[in-house]
Amino acid sequence: MAEPLRIAYSPCPNDTFVFHAWAHGRIPGAEAPEVLFADIDVTNGLAERAELDLLKVSYGALPWLLDEYALLPCGGALGRGCGPLVLTRPESSGDLTGKVVAVPSERSTAYLLFRLWAATAVPGGLGEVVVLPFHEIMPAVRDGRVDAGLVIHEARFTYQQYGLAKLADMGEAWEAATGLPIPLGAIIAKRSLGPARLRELADAVRSSVRAAWDDPAASREYVLAHAQEMDPAVADQHIALYVNEFTADLGEEGYAAVRGLLDRAAAEGLVPALAPDALAFP
């Protein structure tokens, strides 16, 4: 008997919304996969060890993964007005020169966008950059354990509950500089599966996206069950921000955004440079 297809994505509403139909065997002709739920810093690590067949990872981690994995042209998260935020306490001067900043990962789009922004916005140079679990960042800023924090996802809607202030929006800075959408989460699959199988997987992902849009109510229970006590209204905002036309297909603009981010990051020495055909889908 063939091994089940093993995939991983986060419990965040955009991922459970996108993958609901496929995960529940509702895509004709596509086998229901074996699903592991994990935050993106964990899936980045799983991909580095080539442990699963298909994963949601950060675009910022792609340069270390593309030897073993191919980027799928669908299922991921790109968008506008949905970038990471730099948060501080309201009394902060707003100058991060020499300050301690908490980030959720150093192999993430959020981190790359932050470092590209800081290269011009903090000419005196940052102090220490520390990695903290995502859920610890806002409390750490609030309690004065760090001077600022880089946050993603639902923190866009909840940071004021911690008494924090937005210093800068990394997405706004990126869009102002490039005019391109923000590449956040990518779907990758093992190259060893072969071109035909990779195309089948891309079709299954794309069909799952369309099924979610055709019947949003079908995934509601699944989304909220994994949303980590998130308010349903926040879950809806989350889906609206991160599931869009780029989720169905990256298209020319999506690929330009990914290549643009990684080429700029490589020029700053933040990631390895990409080969010309590194993003090509078989």
Side-chain angles (χ1 to χ4, degrees), residues 111-162:
Y111 179 73
L112 296 184
L113 291 174
F114 169 65
R115 293 304 298 262
L116 292 173
W117 169 81
T120 55
V122 191
L126 298 165
E128 185 182 4
V129 175
V130 298
V131 177
L132 291 179
F134 170 72
H135 67 276
E136 293 182 14
I137 290 178
M138 289 192 289
V141 179
R142 177 195 63 199
D143 299 341
R145 288 181 280 127
V146 298
D147 299 301
L150 179 69
V151 299
I152 56 176
H153 295 330
E154 64 270 15
R156 291 185 63 87
F157 314 113
T158 61
Y159 70 87
Q160 291 163 327
Q161 297 171 18
Y162 290 80

Short mmCIF file of all heavy atoms in Angstrom, two decimals, residues 111-162:
data_model
loop_
_atom_site.label_atom_id
_atom_site.label_comp_id
_atom_site.label_asym_id
_atom_site.label_seq_id
_atom_site.Cartn_x
_atom_site.Cartn_y
_atom_site.Cartn_z
N TYR A 111 10.88 38.98 8.63
CA TYR A 111 12.24 39.37 9.01
C TYR A 111 12.96 40.06 7.86
O TYR A 111 13.62 41.08 8.05
CB TYR A 111 13.02 38.14 9.46
CG TYR A 111 14.45 38.43 9.86
CD1 TYR A 111 14.73 39.08 11.05
CD2 TYR A 111 15.52 38.06 9.03
CE1 TYR A 111 16.04 39.35 11.43
CE2 TYR A 111 16.82 38.33 9.40
CZ TYR A 111 17.08 38.97 10.60
OH TYR A 111 18.38 39.25 10.97
N LEU A 112 12.83 39.52 6.65
CA LEU A 112 13.49 40.15 5.50
C LEU A 112 12.95 41.55 5.25
O LEU A 112 13.71 42.49 5.02
CB LEU A 112 13.32 39.28 4.25
CG LEU A 112 13.96 37.90 4.28
CD1 LEU A 112 13.80 37.22 2.93
CD2 LEU A 112 15.43 37.96 4.69
N LEU A 113 11.62 41.69 5.30
CA LEU A 113 11.03 43.02 5.10
C LEU A 113 11.50 43.98 6.18
O LEU A 113 11.79 45.16 5.91
CB LEU A 113 9.50 42.92 5.13
CG LEU A 113 8.83 42.21 3.95
CD1 LEU A 113 7.34 42.07 4.20
CD2 LEU A 113 9.08 42.95 2.64
N PHE A 114 11.59 43.49 7.41
CA PHE A 114 12.05 44.33 8.52
C PHE A 114 13.48 44.78 8.30
O PHE A 114 13.80 45.97 8.47
CB PHE A 114 11.90 43.56 9.83
CG PHE A 114 12.57 44.22 11.01
CD1 PHE A 114 12.12 45.44 11.48
CD2 PHE A 114 13.64 43.61 11.64
CE1 PHE A 114 12.73 46.05 12.56
CE2 PHE A 114 14.26 44.21 12.72
CZ PHE A 114 13.80 45.44 13.19
N ARG A 115 14.36 43.86 7.92
CA ARG A 115 15.75 44.24 7.74
C ARG A 115 15.94 45.17 6.54
O ARG A 115 16.77 46.08 6.59
CB ARG A 115 16.62 42.99 7.59
CG ARG A 115 16.73 42.12 8.83
CD ARG A 115 17.24 42.90 10.05
NE ARG A 115 18.58 43.40 9.86
CZ ARG A 115 19.69 42.80 10.31
NH1 ARG A 115 19.60 41.67 10.98
NH2 ARG A 115 20.86 43.34 10.11
N LEU A 116 15.17 44.96 5.48
CA LEU A 116 15.24 45.88 4.33
C LEU A 116 14.76 47.27 4.74
O LEU A 116 15.34 48.28 4.33
CB LEU A 116 14.40 45.33 3.17
CG LEU A 116 14.93 44.05 2.50
CD1 LEU A 116 13.92 43.53 1.48
CD2 LEU A 116 16.28 44.29 1.83
N TRP A 117 13.68 47.33 5.53
CA TRP A 117 13.18 48.62 6.03
C TRP A 117 14.20 49.28 6.95
O TRP A 117 14.50 50.47 6.81
CB TRP A 117 11.87 48.38 6.77
CG TRP A 117 11.37 49.56 7.56
CD1 TRP A 117 10.69 50.65 7.08
CD2 TRP A 117 11.52 49.77 8.97
NE1 TRP A 117 10.41 51.52 8.11
CE2 TRP A 117 10.91 51.01 9.28
CE3 TRP A 117 12.11 49.03 10.00
CZ2 TRP A 117 10.87 51.52 10.58
CZ3 TRP A 117 12.08 49.53 11.29
CH2 TRP A 117 11.47 50.77 11.57
N ALA A 118 14.76 48.51 7.89
CA ALA A 118 15.67 49.07 8.89
C ALA A 118 16.96 49.60 8.26
O ALA A 118 17.58 50.52 8.79
CB ALA A 118 16.00 48.02 9.94
N ALA A 119 17.34 49.03 7.11
CA ALA A 119 18.58 49.48 6.45
C ALA A 119 18.53 50.96 6.12
O ALA A 119 19.56 51.64 6.11
CB ALA A 119 18.82 48.66 5.19
N THR A 120 17.33 51.48 5.86
CA THR A 120 17.19 52.92 5.58
C THR A 120 16.53 53.68 6.73
O THR A 120 16.87 54.83 6.98
CB THR A 120 16.38 53.15 4.30
OG1 THR A 120 15.11 52.48 4.42
CG2 THR A 120 17.10 52.57 3.08
N ALA A 121 15.62 53.05 7.45
CA ALA A 121 14.87 53.74 8.51
C ALA A 121 15.66 53.85 9.81
O ALA A 121 15.35 54.70 10.65
CB ALA A 121 13.54 53.03 8.77
N VAL A 122 16.64 52.97 9.99
CA VAL A 122 17.45 53.00 11.22
C VAL A 122 18.92 53.08 10.80
O VAL A 122 19.68 52.11 10.93
CB VAL A 122 17.20 51.74 12.09
CG1 VAL A 122 17.83 51.92 13.47
CG2 VAL A 122 15.72 51.44 12.22
N PRO A 123 19.33 54.24 10.26
CA PRO A 123 20.69 54.35 9.71
C PRO A 123 21.78 54.13 10.76
O PRO A 123 22.91 53.74 10.42
CB PRO A 123 20.74 55.77 9.13
CG PRO A 123 19.64 56.50 9.83
CD PRO A 123 18.57 55.50 10.09
N GLY A 124 21.44 54.36 12.05
CA GLY A 124 22.43 54.14 13.10
C GLY A 124 22.63 52.69 13.45
O GLY A 124 23.55 52.34 14.18
N GLY A 125 21.75 51.84 12.92
CA GLY A 125 21.88 50.41 13.16
C GLY A 125 21.09 49.93 14.36
O GLY A 125 21.00 50.61 15.39
N LEU A 126 20.47 48.77 14.19
CA LEU A 126 19.74 48.15 15.29
C LEU A 126 20.71 47.67 16.36
O LEU A 126 21.90 47.51 16.12
CB LEU A 126 18.94 46.95 14.77
CG LEU A 126 17.86 47.23 13.72
CD1 LEU A 126 17.43 45.92 13.07
CD2 LEU A 126 16.67 47.94 14.35
N GLY A 127 20.15 47.40 17.55
CA GLY A 127 20.92 46.72 18.57
C GLY A 127 20.79 45.23 18.38
O GLY A 127 21.00 44.72 17.29
N GLU A 128 20.36 44.53 19.41
CA GLU A 128 20.22 43.08 19.34
C GLU A 128 18.87 42.70 18.74
O GLU A 128 17.85 43.29 19.06
CB GLU A 128 20.35 42.48 20.75
CG GLU A 128 20.33 40.97 20.78
CD GLU A 128 20.42 40.41 22.19
OE1 GLU A 128 20.42 41.20 23.15
OE2 GLU A 128 20.47 39.17 22.32
N VAL A 129 18.88 41.70 17.87
CA VAL A 129 17.65 41.10 17.35
C VAL A 129 17.51 39.73 18.00
O VAL A 129 18.40 38.88 17.87
CB VAL A 129 17.68 40.97 15.82
CG1 VAL A 129 16.44 40.23 15.32
CG2 VAL A 129 17.75 42.35 15.17
N VAL A 130 16.40 39.52 18.73
CA VAL A 130 16.19 38.26 19.44
C VAL A 130 14.98 37.55 18.86
O VAL A 130 14.01 38.18 18.45
CB VAL A 130 16.00 38.48 20.95
CG1 VAL A 130 17.24 39.10 21.56
CG2 VAL A 130 14.78 39.34 21.24
N VAL A 131 15.05 36.23 18.79
CA VAL A 131 13.94 35.42 18.28
C VAL A 131 13.11 34.94 19.46
O VAL A 131 13.63 34.32 20.39
CB VAL A 131 14.46 34.22 17.46
CG1 VAL A 131 13.28 33.35 17.00
CG2 VAL A 131 15.26 34.70 16.26
N LEU A 132 11.81 35.23 19.42
CA LEU A 132 10.87 34.77 20.44
C LEU A 132 9.70 34.07 19.76
O LEU A 132 9.36 34.39 18.63
CB LEU A 132 10.32 35.95 21.25
CG LEU A 132 11.26 36.69 22.19
CD1 LEU A 132 10.51 37.84 22.87
CD2 LEU A 132 11.86 35.76 23.22
N PRO A 133 9.07 33.12 20.45
CA PRO A 133 7.83 32.57 19.91
C PRO A 133 6.83 33.69 19.66
O PRO A 133 6.76 34.66 20.44
CB PRO A 133 7.35 31.63 21.02
CG PRO A 133 8.59 31.26 21.76
CD PRO A 133 9.46 32.49 21.71
N PHE A 134 6.07 33.54 18.59
CA PHE A 134 5.16 34.61 18.16
C PHE A 134 4.29 35.13 19.31
O PHE A 134 4.13 36.33 19.49
CB PHE A 134 4.29 34.10 17.01
CG PHE A 134 3.17 35.03 16.65
CD1 PHE A 134 3.43 36.22 16.00
CD2 PHE A 134 1.85 34.73 16.97
CE1 PHE A 134 2.41 37.09 15.66
CE2 PHE A 134 0.83 35.59 16.64
CZ PHE A 134 1.11 36.77 15.99
N HIS A 135 3.73 34.20 20.11
CA HIS A 135 2.78 34.61 21.15
C HIS A 135 3.44 35.35 22.31
O HIS A 135 2.75 35.95 23.13
CB HIS A 135 2.00 33.40 21.68
CG HIS A 135 2.86 32.42 22.43
ND1 HIS A 135 3.60 31.45 21.79
CD2 HIS A 135 3.11 32.27 23.75
CE1 HIS A 135 4.25 30.72 22.70
NE2 HIS A 135 3.97 31.22 23.90
N GLU A 136 4.78 35.33 22.37
CA GLU A 136 5.47 36.02 23.46
C GLU A 136 5.92 37.43 23.10
O GLU A 136 6.34 38.19 23.98
CB GLU A 136 6.71 35.21 23.89
CG GLU A 136 6.40 33.87 24.53
CD GLU A 136 7.65 33.14 24.97
OE1 GLU A 136 8.72 33.79 25.02
OE2 GLU A 136 7.57 31.94 25.27
N ILE A 137 5.81 37.79 21.82
CA ILE A 137 6.41 39.06 21.40
C ILE A 137 5.67 40.26 21.96
O ILE A 137 6.29 41.18 22.55
CB ILE A 137 6.51 39.12 19.86
CG1 ILE A 137 7.55 38.11 19.37
CG2 ILE A 137 6.88 40.53 19.39
CD1 ILE A 137 7.71 38.04 17.87
N MET A 138 4.37 40.32 21.81
CA MET A 138 3.65 41.50 22.31
C MET A 138 3.74 41.64 23.83
O MET A 138 3.97 42.75 24.32
CB MET A 138 2.22 41.50 21.80
CG MET A 138 2.12 41.78 20.30
SD MET A 138 0.46 42.13 19.67
CE MET A 138 -0.28 40.49 19.80
N PRO A 139 3.61 40.56 24.60
CA PRO A 139 3.83 40.71 26.04
C PRO A 139 5.25 41.19 26.37
O PRO A 139 5.43 41.97 27.32
CB PRO A 139 3.58 39.30 26.58
CG PRO A 139 2.64 38.69 25.60
CD PRO A 139 3.06 39.23 24.27
N ALA A 140 6.25 40.75 25.62
CA ALA A 140 7.63 41.17 25.88
C ALA A 140 7.81 42.66 25.64
O ALA A 140 8.51 43.35 26.40
CB ALA A 140 8.60 40.37 25.01
N VAL A 141 7.18 43.18 24.58
CA VAL A 141 7.24 44.62 24.33
C VAL A 141 6.49 45.37 25.43
O VAL A 141 6.99 46.35 26.02
CB VAL A 141 6.65 44.97 22.94
CG1 VAL A 141 6.71 46.49 22.72
CG2 VAL A 141 7.40 44.24 21.83
N ARG A 142 5.30 44.92 25.73
CA ARG A 142 4.47 45.57 26.76
C ARG A 142 5.20 45.64 28.10
O ARG A 142 5.17 46.67 28.79
CB ARG A 142 3.18 44.79 26.93
CG ARG A 142 2.23 45.31 28.02
CD ARG A 142 1.18 44.27 28.34
NE ARG A 142 1.79 43.03 28.88
CZ ARG A 142 1.18 41.85 28.91
NH1 ARG A 142 -0.06 41.72 28.44
NH2 ARG A 142 1.80 40.80 29.41
N ASP A 143 5.88 44.55 28.46
CA ASP A 143 6.52 44.46 29.78
C ASP A 143 7.92 45.05 29.81
O ASP A 143 8.59 45.02 30.85
CB ASP A 143 6.58 42.99 30.23
CG ASP A 143 5.19 42.37 30.37
OD1 ASP A 143 4.21 43.13 30.47
OD2 ASP A 143 5.10 41.12 30.37
N GLY A 144 8.39 45.58 28.67
CA GLY A 144 9.68 46.24 28.64
C GLY A 144 10.87 45.32 28.55
O GLY A 144 12.02 45.75 28.72
N ARG A 145 10.64 44.04 28.24
CA ARG A 145 11.76 43.10 28.10
C ARG A 145 12.50 43.30 26.78
O ARG A 145 13.66 42.90 26.64
CB ARG A 145 11.26 41.66 28.25
CG ARG A 145 10.88 41.31 29.69
CD ARG A 145 10.40 39.88 29.83
NE ARG A 145 9.02 39.74 29.41
CZ ARG A 145 8.59 38.85 28.52
NH1 ARG A 145 9.45 38.04 27.94
NH2 ARG A 145 7.31 38.77 28.20
N VAL A 146 11.81 43.85 25.80
CA VAL A 146 12.43 44.26 24.54
C VAL A 146 11.88 45.65 24.19
O VAL A 146 10.85 46.07 24.72
CB VAL A 146 12.14 43.27 23.38
CG1 VAL A 146 12.72 41.89 23.69
CG2 VAL A 146 10.65 43.17 23.11
N ASP A 147 12.58 46.34 23.31
CA ASP A 147 12.17 47.70 22.96
C ASP A 147 11.10 47.74 21.88
O ASP A 147 10.30 48.67 21.82
CB ASP A 147 13.39 48.51 22.50
CG ASP A 147 14.43 48.63 23.59
OD1 ASP A 147 14.10 49.16 24.66
OD2 ASP A 147 15.58 48.17 23.36
N ALA A 148 11.11 46.74 21.02
CA ALA A 148 10.15 46.70 19.92
C ALA A 148 9.95 45.26 19.50
O ALA A 148 10.76 44.38 19.82
CB ALA A 148 10.65 47.54 18.73
N GLY A 149 8.86 45.01 18.79
CA GLY A 149 8.58 43.66 18.34
C GLY A 149 8.04 43.66 16.92
O GLY A 149 7.29 44.57 16.53
N LEU A 150 8.43 42.65 16.17
CA LEU A 150 7.93 42.45 14.82
C LEU A 150 6.83 41.40 14.88
O LEU A 150 7.08 40.28 15.34
CB LEU A 150 9.07 41.98 13.91
CG LEU A 150 8.72 41.70 12.46
CD1 LEU A 150 8.39 42.99 11.71
CD2 LEU A 150 9.88 40.98 11.76
N VAL A 151 5.62 41.75 14.46
CA VAL A 151 4.49 40.83 14.59
C VAL A 151 3.81 40.63 13.24
O VAL A 151 3.93 41.44 12.33
CB VAL A 151 3.46 41.33 15.63
CG1 VAL A 151 4.10 41.44 17.00
CG2 VAL A 151 2.83 42.64 15.20
N ILE A 152 3.09 39.52 13.15
CA ILE A 152 2.44 39.14 11.90
C ILE A 152 1.00 38.73 12.18
O ILE A 152 0.55 38.66 13.31
CB ILE A 152 3.20 37.98 11.22
CG1 ILE A 152 3.33 36.78 12.19
CG2 ILE A 152 4.57 38.43 10.76
CD1 ILE A 152 3.97 35.54 11.60
N HIS A 153 0.27 38.43 11.10
CA HIS A 153 -1.05 37.81 11.16
C HIS A 153 -2.02 38.57 12.05
O HIS A 153 -2.17 39.77 11.95
CB HIS A 153 -0.92 36.35 11.57
CG HIS A 153 -0.19 35.49 10.58
ND1 HIS A 153 -0.20 35.74 9.23
CD2 HIS A 153 0.58 34.39 10.75
CE1 HIS A 153 0.53 34.84 8.61
NE2 HIS A 153 1.01 34.00 9.50
N GLU A 154 -2.66 37.82 12.97
CA GLU A 154 -3.78 38.40 13.72
C GLU A 154 -3.35 39.51 14.67
O GLU A 154 -4.19 40.27 15.15
CB GLU A 154 -4.52 37.31 14.50
CG GLU A 154 -3.72 36.61 15.58
CD GLU A 154 -3.00 35.39 15.07
OE1 GLU A 154 -2.87 35.21 13.85
OE2 GLU A 154 -2.53 34.61 15.92
N ALA A 155 -2.04 39.64 14.93
CA ALA A 155 -1.58 40.74 15.79
C ALA A 155 -1.91 42.10 15.17
O ALA A 155 -1.99 43.10 15.90
CB ALA A 155 -0.07 40.63 16.03
N ARG A 156 -2.11 42.14 13.86
CA ARG A 156 -2.54 43.40 13.23
C ARG A 156 -3.83 43.90 13.86
O ARG A 156 -4.09 45.11 13.89
CB ARG A 156 -2.78 43.19 11.73
CG ARG A 156 -1.56 42.91 10.90
CD ARG A 156 -1.93 42.84 9.42
NE ARG A 156 -2.45 44.10 8.94
CZ ARG A 156 -1.71 45.10 8.47
NH1 ARG A 156 -0.41 44.99 8.44
NH2 ARG A 156 -2.26 46.21 8.06
N PHE A 157 -4.66 42.97 14.33
CA PHE A 157 -5.98 43.33 14.84
C PHE A 157 -6.04 43.39 16.36
O PHE A 157 -7.04 43.85 16.93
CB PHE A 157 -7.03 42.33 14.34
CG PHE A 157 -6.92 42.02 12.87
CD1 PHE A 157 -6.55 40.77 12.43
CD2 PHE A 157 -7.17 43.01 11.92
CE1 PHE A 157 -6.44 40.49 11.08
CE2 PHE A 157 -7.06 42.74 10.56
CZ PHE A 157 -6.70 41.48 10.14
N THR A 158 -5.00 42.92 17.04
CA THR A 158 -5.09 42.76 18.50
C THR A 158 -4.03 43.54 19.28
O THR A 158 -4.09 43.56 20.51
CB THR A 158 -4.97 41.27 18.88
OG1 THR A 158 -3.71 40.76 18.43
CG2 THR A 158 -6.10 40.45 18.25
N TYR A 159 -3.06 44.17 18.61
CA TYR A 159 -1.95 44.76 19.36
C TYR A 159 -2.38 45.87 20.31
O TYR A 159 -1.77 46.08 21.36
CB TYR A 159 -0.86 45.27 18.40
CG TYR A 159 -1.20 46.48 17.58
CD1 TYR A 159 -1.01 47.77 18.06
CD2 TYR A 159 -1.70 46.35 16.27
CE1 TYR A 159 -1.30 48.89 17.29
CE2 TYR A 159 -1.99 47.44 15.50
CZ TYR A 159 -1.80 48.71 16.01
OH TYR A 159 -2.09 49.81 15.24
N GLN A 160 -3.47 46.58 19.99
CA GLN A 160 -3.92 47.65 20.87
C GLN A 160 -4.43 47.12 22.21
O GLN A 160 -4.41 47.83 23.21
CB GLN A 160 -5.00 48.48 20.16
CG GLN A 160 -4.43 49.29 18.99
CD GLN A 160 -5.49 49.79 18.04
OE1 GLN A 160 -6.50 49.13 17.84
NE2 GLN A 160 -5.27 50.97 17.47
N GLN A 161 -4.84 45.85 22.23
CA GLN A 161 -5.25 45.23 23.49
C GLN A 161 -4.09 45.09 24.46
O GLN A 161 -4.30 44.93 25.67
CB GLN A 161 -5.88 43.86 23.23
CG GLN A 161 -7.15 43.90 22.39
CD GLN A 161 -7.61 42.52 21.96
OE1 GLN A 161 -7.20 41.52 22.55
NE2 GLN A 161 -8.45 42.46 20.94
N TYR A 162 -2.87 45.13 23.94
CA TYR A 162 -1.67 45.05 24.78
C TYR A 162 -1.13 46.44 25.12
O TYR A 162 -0.07 46.56 25.73
CB TYR A 162 -0.59 44.25 24.06
CG TYR A 162 -0.90 42.78 23.95
CD1 TYR A 162 -1.76 42.30 22.96
CD2 TYR A 162 -0.34 41.85 24.82
CE1 TYR A 162 -2.05 40.94 22.86
CE2 TYR A 162 -0.62 40.50 24.73
CZ TYR A 162 -1.49 40.06 23.74
OH TYR A 162 -1.78 38.72 23.66
#
